[in-house]
């Protein structure tokens, strides 16, 4: 008899689960983790097998096994199917609530015994913390129920069914269900029991649900605590001398909780049958004067959007990975996280309480794919789905309500608008009036307390900040956040500092959340990291799933380093001429007494003096000018740093140093062409082409010549839906990747060799006149490049500089300039002037989809490949063992293999980066508009 599978396509949230309640760990009640290896059988359809496998008598011989928590598609070496990635589109026909017949279904079995000390009294529940997307559950052959809501907990009463030994928990999991229509988030589709499964003893008189209310009155310094519990008991907080019955408020002097000062008080809820530890943070969230205030102070979100991701385990995260995320966020000055687009594993929220992060906790809801049909049939505006929406809202709020870090509830993401969303907002407000409600899709702020947008450009954000953006009256009175901005896909995001300046300038702008925290690359032997399409999906969105500030292995990308600098909580502005440093406290709550300051005075990257600095313990917003001690020389620059108690750098500043321009001609001898060769000081040239062949003993693999091409970044390419200028495409259309070089003259003129060329693409009249003027003395060779555009250039250049090829030998690189990481015109705040060392391989930034990367900005001189190369003016250095064309052609990390030539790019300038992979392009001031240019390099063979 095939099993009825009607429940799979039933829009209801399910049947049989207990009402949602607060999630807590470490109670005095017994519990057994049912994580581990489970027997597993995969079927292609939901009804391939009847439910006899749930019977204790069933013999699972011949089944496979999977790890729980886990996604079956991430296990079994391909035997259990594969991940699939789409952003907006449903990967099945849109016919709600129906799903395809091909519905991978995983039957899971776990046999367990009760521990010897399992109490005889009370009852028990089994709790599933996350199962994608629909599960039906049996214990010892008795059906418990079925549920949907992948990233939400579900509990079932099981006490009456438990035996001391040989209990059989059977779970049938369907990849697709009616619930899938509500879970169209931009991420991999990953079925499975991906969070913990736990058996919890429920003692007689045990705690069921409780709600900790802990507010802070900033004018008096008093906190008020009241813990409502549906089983009465006592609340104790020893440190505060609190010992009160549940439900009774108590007011005491406390230190408040903020993301900057995450003060938690340990307490306990004790009922007749159970003791539950409490971690209490006193804080008050309110909307007042049109601002989000905590403890009476407006806050500025310096946030990120975090999906749960692990390159081997998908969304099945272990505690250490969660801790790593939080520690990385804190170490990079991030103060807020939006749990895009579902409630995270609850342990993550406990870490946010402990370390201090403002949290927007988002409900597990997105119906983005309905946009394809003009939002027709959108479940959020269809009453049949409202119970499921309310269930999701309740499971989110009830589970997470006791976390002080959560300041806003978010209804979901990109689900259009509709009555269901309004019902959710109303339910949440009634249940928890002490927090605010967020939903970006509610453009008129009908149901929300904050005007939230994604990817608004700088100009619009500024208008919103000025309050001249119009909109409905209610919205005009609300604060503004960008729940997503600065799309961190590939190289970038560009323009972060420009956003931050706006956020800091206008009170109404309360910051934003970079999209997103981590690349969702799947560890993959073929590709290094796989992305959409690598598993043969018929519909997919490619590497749009790799758009994070961390690489999949959690290595910070340059974007994260830049973000850290841009949002640093102390501004350090060194005025070299005055010999002072202006320090500004940009925290919202903390003074600077926890920071130590030091300074270094460097000449050409070498520290000549250093010391510590006494900075007054400034309050938030305060500024002080501090005198720096007079250096012995005047040709250097200061670096001033702020360090926390662990000696970790929080912020830094440097004064700018003028670069002395020296473009004078070098004087030295040359010989006239003989044997087809011209010599000039240490260099030899091809007399016919004017190509440089060697500098001393360094024989060039490829002579320096003008180069304008870069391997388009994701931000150059832009997003397919964008109507504006998409430069990656335009550059190719105009042929900038296949520029032809024509030599118009090789002229010896006194001490100089001049090579006149024109560089332009086939089929177009646009081009660049490029003259190379070479002079030399005994040891040094100087190149001055003059460039003049011709024709109707309507597009910026990708880059403007020269490229040369050197034989691969010593791969060490030393430079004096910006570093240590890459920097482009609009991603360069984190580049600091210094003397740096690396090797060629480490200069490369391993974006999951290879693209232009690795430029070191403001280089005064560099030593590599046997040469010292000085720039006048400073230049951007990129060096790699593949050509730009090879980099451009690569689709995955593993496509790049180092060759025999060291390609060195000396760029006068580069086009900015922007965030057009999903957002605005490059701001005008970072655009590389073709125009006359002149720049010089001096080459010298290293001793
Ligand atoms: C937003 C969406 C995110 C993600 C992002 C682009 O529209 O909310 O989930 O898709 O764009 O990466």
């Amino acid at each position: 008899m095939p099993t009825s599978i009607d429940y799979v396509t039933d829009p209801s949230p399910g049947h049989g689960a207990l009402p949602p309640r607060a999630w807590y760990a470490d109670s005095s009640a017994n519990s057994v983790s049912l994580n581990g290896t489970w027997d597993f059988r995969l079927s292609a359809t939901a009804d391939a097998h009847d439910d006899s496998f749930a019977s204790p008598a069933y013999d699972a011989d011949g089944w496979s096994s999977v790890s729980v928590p886990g996604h079956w598609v991430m296990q079994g070496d391909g035997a259990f199917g594969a991940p699939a990635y789409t952003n907006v589109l449903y990967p099945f026909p849109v016919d709600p609530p129906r799903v395809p017949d091909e519905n991978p279904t995983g039957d899971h079995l776990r046999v367990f015994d009760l521990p010897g000390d399992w109490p005889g009294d009370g009852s028990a529940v089994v709790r599933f913390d996350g199962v994608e997307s629909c599960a039906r559950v049996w214990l010892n052959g008795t059906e418990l129920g079925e549920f949907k809501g992948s990233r939400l907990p579900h509990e079932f009463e099981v006490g009456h069914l438990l035996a001391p030994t040989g209990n059989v928990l059977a779970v049938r999991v369907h990849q697709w269900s009616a619930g899938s229509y509500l879970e169209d988030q931009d991420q991999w589709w990953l079925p499975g029991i991906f969070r913990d499964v736990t058996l919890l003893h429920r003692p007689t008189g045990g705690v069921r649900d409780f709600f900790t209310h802990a507010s802070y009155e900033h004018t008096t310094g008093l906190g008020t605590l009241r813990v409502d519990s549906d089983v009465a008991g006592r609340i104790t907080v020893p440190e505060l001398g609190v010992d009160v019955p549940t439900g009774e408020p108590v007011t005491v002097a406390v230190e408040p909780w903020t993301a900057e000062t995450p003060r938690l008080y340990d307490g306990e809820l004790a009922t007749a049958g159970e003791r539950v530890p409490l971690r209490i943070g006193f804080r008050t969230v309110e909307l007042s004067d049109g601002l989000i205030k905590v403890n009476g102070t407006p806050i500025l979100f310096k946030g990120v959007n975090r999906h749960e991701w692990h390159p081997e385990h998908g969304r099945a995260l272990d505690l250490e990975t969660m801790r790593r995320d939080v520690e990385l966020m804190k170490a990079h000055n991030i103060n807020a996280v939006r749990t895009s687009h579902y409630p995270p594993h609850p342990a993550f929220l406990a870490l946010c309480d402990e370390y201090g992060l403002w949290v927007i906790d988002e409900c597990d809801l997105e119906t983005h794919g309905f946009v394809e049909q003009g939002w027709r049939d959108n479940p959020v505006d269809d009453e049949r789905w409202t119970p499921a929406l309310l269930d999701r809202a309740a499971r989110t709020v009830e589970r997470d309500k006791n976390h002080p870090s959560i300041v806003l509830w978010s209804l979901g993401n990109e689900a259009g608008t509709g009555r269901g969303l309004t019902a959710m907002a109303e339910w949440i407000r009634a249940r928890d009036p002490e927090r605010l409600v967020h939903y970006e899709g509610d453009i008129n702020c009908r149901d929300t307390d904050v005007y939230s947008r994604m990817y608004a450009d700088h100009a619009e954000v500024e208008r919103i900040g000025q309050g001249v953006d119009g909109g409905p009256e209610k919205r005009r009175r609300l604060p503004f956040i960008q729940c997503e901005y600065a799309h961190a896909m590939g190289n970038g995001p560009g323009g972060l500092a420009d956003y931050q300046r706006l956020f800091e300038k206008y009170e109404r702008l309360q910051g934003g959340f970079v999209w997103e925290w981590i690349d969702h690359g799947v560890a993959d032997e073929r590709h290094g990291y796989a992305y959409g399409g690598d598993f043969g999906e018929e519909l997919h969105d490619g590497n749009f799933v790799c758009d994070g500030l961390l690489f999949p292995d959690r290595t910070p990308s340059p974007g994260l380093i830049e973000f850290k600098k841009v949002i640093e909580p102390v501004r350090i502005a060194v005025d070299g001429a005055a010999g002072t440093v202006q320090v500004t406290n940009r925290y919202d709550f903390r003074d600077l007494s926890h920071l130590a300051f030091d300074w270094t005075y460097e000449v050409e990257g070498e520290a000549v003096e250093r010391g510590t600095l006494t900075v007054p313990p400034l309050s938030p917003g305060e500024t002080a000018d501090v005198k720096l001690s007079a250096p012995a020389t005047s040709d250097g620059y200061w670096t001033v740093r702020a360090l926390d108690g662990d000696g970790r750098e929080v912020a830094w500043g440097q004064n700018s140093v003028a670069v002395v321009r020296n473009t004078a001609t070098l004087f030295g001898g040359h010989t006239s062409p003989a044997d087809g060769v011209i010599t000039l000081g240490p260099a030899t040239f091809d007399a016919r082409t004017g190509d440089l062949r060697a500098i001393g003993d360094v024989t060039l693999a490829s002579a320096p010549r003008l180069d304008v091409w870069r391997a388009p970044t994701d931000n150059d390419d832009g997003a397919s839906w964008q109507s504006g200028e998409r430069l990656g495409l335009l550059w190719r259309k105009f042929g900038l990747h296949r520029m032809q070089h024509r030599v118009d003259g090789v002229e010896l003129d006194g001490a100089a060799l001049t090579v006149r060329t024109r560089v332009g693409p086939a089929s177009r009249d646009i081009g660049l006149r490029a003259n190379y003027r070479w002079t030399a003395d005994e040891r040094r060779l100087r190149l001055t490049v003059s460039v003049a555009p011709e024709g109707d250039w309507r597009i910026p250049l990708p880059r403007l500089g020269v490229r040369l090829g050197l034989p691969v030998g010593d791969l060490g690189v030393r430079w004096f300039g910006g570093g240590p990481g890459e920097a482009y015109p609009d991603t360069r705040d984190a580049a600091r002037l210094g003397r740096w060392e690396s090797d060629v391989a480490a200069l490369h930034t391993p974006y999951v989809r290879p693209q232009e990367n690795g430029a070191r900005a403001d280089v005064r001189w560099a030593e590599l490949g046997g040469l010292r190369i000085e720039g006048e003016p400073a230049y951007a250095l990129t060096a790699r063992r593949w050509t730009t064309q090879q980099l451009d052609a690569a689709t995955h990390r593993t496509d790049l293999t180092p060759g025999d030539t060291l390609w060195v790019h000396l760029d006068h300038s580069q086009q900015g980066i922007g965030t057009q992979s999903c957002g605005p392009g490059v701001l005008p001031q970072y655009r590389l508009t073709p125009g006359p240019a002149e720049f010089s390099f001096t080459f010298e063979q290293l001793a």
Side-chain angles (χ1 to χ4, degrees), residues 404-419:
S405 53
I406 299 172
V407 289
L408 287 102
W409 299 112
S410 177
L411 304 181
N413 186 59
E414 296 183 319
T417 52
R419 290 162 290 169

Side-chain angles (χ1 to χ4, degrees), residues 87-254:
N87 167 13
V88 176
L89 303 180
Y90 289 102
F92 48 77
V94 179
D95 182 20
R98 283 168 283 276
V99 297
D101 291 345
E102 294 75 35
N103 188 357
T105 292
D107 290 332
H108 297 68
L109 284 175
R110 172 76 150 90
V111 181
F112 63 94
D113 299 336
L114 295 179
D117 62 351
W118 193 261
D121 76 316
S123 118
V125 300
V126 62
R127 180 175 72 199
F128 296 90
D129 283 321
V131 183
E132 180 167 331
S133 79
C134 169
R136 188 173 171 202
V137 190
W138 297 260
L139 184 70
N140 295 334
T142 300
E143 181 169 351
L144 304 175
E146 76 331 287
F147 64 92
K148 307 179 191 80
S150 297
R151 297 107 203 175
L152 294 163
H154 294 84
E155 287 182 326
F156 294 92
E157 183 67 58
V158 292
H160 56 298
L161 300 171
L162 286 175
T165 57
N167 294 289
V168 180
L169 182 60
V171 187
R172 171 163 285 171
V173 181
H174 308 284
Q175 171 155 23
W176 308 120
S177 69
S180 305
Y181 284 97
L182 305 182
E183 296 173 6
D184 189 27
Q185 292 96 343
D186 173 8
Q187 59 180 347
W188 295 98
W189 297 93
L190 296 177
I193 306 175
F194 71 99
R195 285 187 191 154
D196 310 285
V197 183
T198 317
L199 178 72
L200 301 161
H201 179 239
R202 302 311 310 131
T204 309
V207 170
R208 214 197 70 76
D209 190 19
F210 64 95
F211 197 164
T212 302
H213 304 271
S215 60
Y216 180 74
E217 177 45 61
H218 66 280
T219 54
T220 58
L222 296 176
T224 299
L225 174 67
R226 190 189 81 236
V227 180
D228 294 332
S229 170
D230 51 11
V231 173
R234 287 201 80 77
I235 301 299
T236 48
V237 188
E239 196 184 341
L240 295 173
V242 167
D243 183 352
V244 289
T246 52
E248 189 175 300
V250 52
T251 298
V252 278
V254 296

